[in-house]
Amino acid sequence: MAEEDFGDKAPEGAHGSGQVGHVSVLLKEAIDFLAIRRGGSYIDATLGLGGHSLEIAKRLGPQGHLIGFDKDTHALELGRKRLAQMDVGEPPRITLLHSSFADIARHVPPGSADGLLADLGVSSLQFGDPARGFMFQAEGPLDMRMDPHGERTADQVVNHMREEDLANVIYEFGEERRSRRIARAIVRTRPIRNTAHLSQVISAALRSMKHGERIHPATRTFQAIRIFVNRELDDLKALMEAAPIVLKPGGRLVVISFHSLEDRIVKDALRDGVKAGLYSVLTKKPLAAGEEEIDRNPRSRSAKLRAAERT
Ligand SMILES: C[S@@+](CC[C@H](N)C(=O)[O-])C[C@H]1O[C@@H](n2cnc3c(N)ncnc32)[C@H](O)[C@@H]1O
């Protein structure tokens, strides 16, 4: 499977200092597929550090409208600052909302959007800040929430879930074959104190097994817990249901995913949308980042972009 890949280290500038260090993935390709119309209304479902939003906003003109969503209040604040510093003569109207993109149809009128972009997963700002608990290479709290007000935390999963349920989470959302062995080791060691401790427990549980893998042994388990904590796949399914409702005929949908579980949901939704006469697909095969982008930004290695037009 393809895991979300941040390389061995957190990306530069992504250490929770508030610096804008996130490098937008497939930026040019996403903007090209959105085919931005001056004066149009565009949704960035995953504002993050506003890299994609900024490029959209630059092309909209004063009659245009950019609507940005993010679950993470910190990302919204930084995205807002970045957009406010935008160096264009006449900026568009900008609305930023602290909400899951699962609820887009509650905020955006039906048939009103010329385009919708979703660049899924966590930003390097979130990933690279040990205090958010996403990093297995650093000591941080067992949190992993994108939304600081979210109900589920990694601590609940790691320290309180039944062993069988924990194994299922690790298997289902991490596609980790050794889920039972990992769950058993976690439950035997409880309480797990922090992310570094969790990572050690997983590594020790897998040490005796032969696996010449290029990824850290904790990668899949951390991904699984993060997906579960943030209900990422349910949110994505809800977004894919809402997209054809909020898009105008001719409106463009662009989704960038980072692992096979996400890509499958996008691919299936587009296929069903074509059958239902809602979309024509613009990317027969998903687009991937080129070598040069991968060298610059390890996170782009697992990216897949799919685009469609609302019919
Ligand atoms: C990969 S980053 C986006 C980066 C952005 N495109 C840029 O260029 O700076 C993904 C962002 O989406 C947010 N996010 C993830 N799932 C979300 C959801 N269900 N609803 C709203 N925001 C979400 C995360 O908090 C994160 O800030």
Side-chain angles (χ1 to χ4, degrees), residues 22 24 44-52 69-72 75 82 99-102 119-123 126 146 235 258 299:
H22 184 89
S24 301
D44 184 348
T46 52
L47 178 76
L49 273 295
H52 287 99
F69 287 80
D70 207 295
K71 269 182 166 184
D72 183 348
R82 194 168 184 195
S99 163
S100 168
F101 56 55
D119 171 23
L120 302 170
V122 286
S123 70
Q126 295 165 324
M146 292 183 195
D235 279 5
F258 290 89
R299 182 170 185 267

